[in-house]
């Protein structure tokens, strides 16, 4: 007898292990780009060295390092992403209940009276009197997942959790990059203010010299008026720079979850704009898909969409459940719980869709279309990642070359201004030459600061496009 049942039992086990619908296949990564070979030996040569997870440390600024650690712990966007991740995990936990037997208990008491002309009256009083009825039972229900509907449902839920985790990492990468960008822009504005004040001192000395020359009858009122105009126009640049500094400090405070002005005392003191190295480690191109959270999220979304097709296909098949119940029923409390008052029921139940009006076919078509959309979205995300990396590397190299030219131009501009002032003192040139040289120098030095800022912020965009930052932050959190 046992031997006769063994093949049937083995067949049921094999059937319960199958899952309808396509199995997820991880898509191949886009062709790697050999960016070092494309660009040759440039000042910003991309080094195929391991990616520095805490890439902001390449800038060598301790205050920026501190801000990055603080923003990873306090940023409100990250905390909101944490809440979404908790929701996703809670949904997965709730769906996990379908994979195990559900057991419940019921206990009830009723004061009843049945119909005198009804079919039966368990009290034996033919419906002519009231009676007590006590019921208590343990109930079990378990869907036998022969077609893998529950397994595919949990597979999709796991993939959705993974997608939510990657979304949080993507927020973290963006927040770290935004913090670094705002900090670098702040330091650039402070450098620019220092340049404006330095040029203002030069203009004021030129004004004093012009007034002395006018008193000696060498200069004219026009020269004095032009010198005054130069001083006023340079002074007019200060409020705009100070306004931008205040905005950037508030932006950093917002990223840290602080009120406006909370970081004023901490960041108002000027510090030099940090400069990155010429060669930067970018890791291996083939690892980009493992580093960028948006690519990982797109892959998880594709996985969830693929598993959902299996859920839709399983809905075409019968649902078989095993149901059981054991309890007690009695009319008197004194007999409730006696072995003779027991009730028992066990057996399978089957639910088979016969006519659904096209609902199941429509749902399957929807899931298949969603899977196609997710596959296209994955491909688009990968191509966009390569584009962003390539653009950032190109911009970084170009901006370094521009900065080298501006450094040379600023040095020549300072020499030209000094010569113009000396020649003006000697009466060899008029004051217009001094004004022209100072305007050109101020414009060049401003471009120089902006170019330094662009080099640093382009490095930020490069490491954002490479997906750096979240790995080290998560490792640090696990060590706490």
């Amino acid at each position: 007898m046992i031997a006769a049942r063994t093949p049937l039992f083995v067949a049921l086990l094999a059937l319960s292990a199958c899952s309808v619908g396509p199995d997820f296949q991880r898509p191949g990564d886009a062709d790697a780009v050999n960016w070092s070979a494309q660009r040759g030996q440039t000042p910003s040569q991309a080094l195929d060295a391991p990616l520095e997870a805490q890439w902001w440390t390449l800038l060598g600024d301790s205050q920026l390092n501190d801000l990055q650690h603080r923003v990873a712990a306090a940023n409100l966007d990250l905390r909101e992403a944490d809440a979404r991740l908790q929701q996703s995990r809670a949904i997965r936990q709730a769906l996990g209940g379908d994979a195990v037997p559900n057991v419940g208990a019921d206990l009830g008491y009723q004061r009843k009276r049945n119909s005198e002309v009804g079919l039966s009256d368990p009290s034996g009083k033919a419906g002519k009197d009231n009676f007590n009825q006590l019921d208590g039972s343990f109930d079990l229900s378990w869907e036998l997942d022969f077609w893998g509907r529950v397994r595919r449902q949990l597979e999709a839920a796991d993939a959705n959790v993974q997608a939510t985790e990657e979304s949080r990492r993507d927020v973290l990468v963006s927040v770290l990059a935004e913090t670094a960008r705002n900090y670098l822009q702040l330091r650039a504005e402070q450098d620019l203010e220092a340049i404006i004040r330095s040029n203002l001192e030069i203009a004021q000395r030129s004004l004093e010299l012009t007034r002395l020359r006018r008193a000696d009858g060498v200069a004219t009122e026009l020269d004095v008026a032009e010198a005054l105009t130069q001083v006023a126009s340079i002074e007019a640049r200060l409020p705009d720079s100070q306004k931008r500094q205040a905005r950037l400090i508030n932006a950093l405070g917002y990223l840290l979850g602080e009120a406006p002005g909370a970081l004023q005392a901490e960041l108002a003191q000027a510090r030099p704009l940090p400069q990155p190295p010429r060669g930067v480690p970018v890791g291996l191109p083939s690892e980009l898909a493992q580093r960028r959270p948006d690519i990982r999220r797109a892959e998880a979304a594709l996985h969830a969409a693929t598993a959902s097709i299996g859920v839709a296909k399983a809905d075409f098949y019968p649902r078989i459940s095993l149901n059981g119940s054991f309890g007690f029923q009695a009319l008197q409390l004194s007999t409730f719980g006696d072995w003779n008052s027991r009730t028992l029921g066990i057996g399978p139940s089957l639910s088979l869709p016969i006519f659904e009006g096209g609902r199941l076919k429509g749902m399957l078509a929807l899931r298949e279309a969603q899977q196609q959309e997710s596959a296209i979205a994955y491909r688009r995300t990968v191509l966009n990642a390569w584009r962003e990396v390539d653009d950032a590397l190109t911009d970084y190299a170009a901006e370094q070359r521009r900065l080298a030219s501006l450094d040379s131009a600023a040095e020549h501009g300072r020499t030209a201004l000094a010569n113009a002032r000396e020649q003006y003192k000697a009466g060899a040139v008029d004051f217009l030459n001094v004004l022209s040289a100072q305007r050109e120098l101020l414009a060049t030095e401003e471009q120089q600061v902006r170019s330094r800022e662009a080099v640093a912020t382009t490095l930020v965009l490069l490491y954002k496009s490479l997906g750096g930052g979240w790995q080290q932050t998560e490792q640090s959190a696990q060590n706490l």
Side-chain angles (χ1 to χ4, degrees):
M1 186 66 176
I2 295 178
R5 291 179 179 176
T6 300
L8 177 61
F9 179 72
V10 172
L12 288 175
L13 285 178
L15 186 61
S16 65
C18 74
S19 296
V20 297
D23 292 326
F24 175 69
Q25 299 293 330
R26 187 175 184 182
D29 299 330
D31 293 336
V33 177
N34 190 348
W35 47 59
S36 297
Q38 282 187 347
R39 288 160 183 78
Q41 299 298 321
T42 67
S44 62
Q45 181 181 4
L47 306 177
D48 290 338
L51 180 73
E52 176 61 48
Q54 289 185 316
W55 49 262
W56 51 88
T57 59
L58 294 174
L59 296 169
D61 191 300
S62 59
Q63 192 165 38
L64 174 59
N65 298 343
D66 179 62
L67 286 173
Q68 295 287 48
H69 288 296
R70 288 160 60 188
V71 79
N75 181 261
L76 296 179
D77 289 335
L78 279 173
R79 292 170 64 182
E80 187 177 17
D82 286 334
R84 288 194 294 268
L85 179 56
Q86 292 174 8
Q87 295 172 37
S88 179
R89 289 171 175 168
I91 291 173
R92 167 59 179 85
Q93 183 180 4
L95 292 174
D98 293 339
V100 296
N102 295 321
V103 180
D106 294 306
L107 180 64
Y109 162 79
Q110 286 184 313
R111 180 69 174 169
K112 302 177 64 175
R113 181 169 183 160
N114 286 343
S115 169
E116 294 185 18
V117 294
L119 296 177
S120 64
D121 184 352
S123 67
K125 299 181 180 180
K128 296 181 179 179
D129 199 0
N130 298 331
F131 64 95
N132 300 318
Q133 181 172 323
L134 295 96
D135 295 278
S137 66
F138 292 94
D139 303 306
L140 177 144
S141 177
W142 186 22
E143 179 180 346
L144 304 178
D145 193 25
F146 287 132
W147 324 113
R149 184 189 71 85
V150 175
R151 289 192 295 276
R152 290 298 192 193
Q153 183 175 272
L154 294 179
E155 182 183 350
D158 287 333
N160 284 327
V161 171
Q162 179 67 25
T164 309
E165 289 177 347
E166 301 305 337
S167 294
R168 184 201 176 276
R169 290 168 178 162
D170 199 23
V171 172
L172 176 59
V173 169
S174 297
V175 166
L176 293 173
E178 185 68 10
T179 301
R181 188 179 68 87
N182 286 337
Y183 180 82
L184 294 171
Q185 288 179 340
L186 172 64
R187 295 312 181 196
E189 284 297 335
Q190 291 173 341
D191 282 357
L192 180 60
E193 181 182 353
I195 289 173
I196 293 173
R197 292 189 181 279
S198 176
N199 277 267
L200 180 58
E201 291 178 5
I202 295 173
Q204 289 170 342
R205 288 197 299 269
S206 296
L207 173 60
E208 293 172 2
L209 175 62
T210 304
R211 282 173 171 166
L212 290 174
R213 289 174 60 82
R214 182 192 60 180
D216 294 337
V218 179
T220 65
E221 287 292 340
L222 177 60
D223 292 334
V224 175
E226 288 176 338
L228 286 168
T229 302
Q230 180 79 334
V231 170
S233 64
I234 295 176
E235 283 181 332
R237 292 173 175 261
L238 288 173
D240 192 45
S241 178
Q242 292 165 350
K243 176 189 70 176
R244 287 194 293 267
Q245 291 177 47
R247 285 178 174 270
L248 289 167
I249 291 174
N250 282 341
L252 288 168
Y254 175 78
L255 289 169
L256 284 166
E258 300 285 353
L263 302 182
Q264 186 68 33
E266 180 180 349
L267 298 175
Q269 181 66 36
R271 297 182 64 166
L273 173 65
Q275 286 299 296
R278 289 184 176 273
V280 293
V282 295
L284 298 176
S286 59
E287 297 174 350
L288 184 64
Q290 285 74 47
R291 291 197 305 257
R292 283 209 28 155
D294 58 341
I295 297 179
R296 294 158 61 100
R297 179 181 63 228
E299 181 182 325
L302 177 58
H303 190 172
T306 303
S308 295
I309 295 176
V311 177
K313 285 188 175 182
D315 285 337
F316 285 87
Y317 296 87
R319 291 192 187 183
I320 302 174
S321 299
L322 180 63
N323 303 302
S325 176
F326 177 80
F328 298 92
Q329 185 180 74
L331 301 180
Q332 301 294 330
L333 181 61
S334 58
T335 58
F336 183 72
D338 290 348
W339 187 245
N340 292 333
S341 68
R342 71 186 183 279
T343 61
L344 177 66
I346 188 171
S349 65
L350 183 144
S351 174
L352 177 66
I354 297 177
F355 178 72
E356 296 286 344
R359 182 182 65 84
L360 296 180
K361 290 182 178 179
M363 185 58 66
L364 177 59
L366 172 63
R367 298 307 184 197
E368 290 174 341
Q370 289 175 335
Q371 195 261 2
Q372 293 174 9
E373 179 186 7
S374 296
I376 294 171
Y378 175 84
R379 178 64 179 173
R380 185 185 67 243
T381 302
V382 171
L383 290 177
N384 182 63
W386 286 121
R387 179 185 64 84
E388 289 182 353
V389 172
D390 192 80
D391 287 349
L393 284 168
T394 301
D395 293 347
Y396 191 61
E399 201 59 52
Q400 281 190 324
R401 293 193 298 270
R402 177 171 177 262
L403 177 58
S405 298
L406 287 170
D407 287 342
S408 178
E411 185 63 29
H412 292 314
R414 283 186 284 270
T415 301
L417 177 58
N419 290 335
R421 293 183 75 246
E422 289 300 322
Q423 292 177 20
Y424 176 65
K425 288 180 183 179
V429 297
D430 59 23
F431 191 65
L432 184 60
N433 295 86
V434 178
L435 293 177
S436 177
Q438 184 165 25
R439 290 192 187 103
E440 290 180 6
L441 175 60
L442 180 57
T444 301
E445 288 182 329
E446 183 175 359
Q447 292 181 60
Q448 186 184 30
V449 170
R450 293 304 180 198
S451 182
R452 288 197 185 111
E453 175 189 347
V455 169
T457 56
T458 303
L459 178 71
V460 172
L461 293 178
L462 172 60
Y463 277 108
K464 180 183 178 184
S465 67
L466 290 170
W470 62 266
Q471 306 94 330
Q472 184 65 37
T473 305
E474 285 194 346
Q475 182 179 353
S476 299
Q478 292 171 0
N479 293 334
L480 294 178

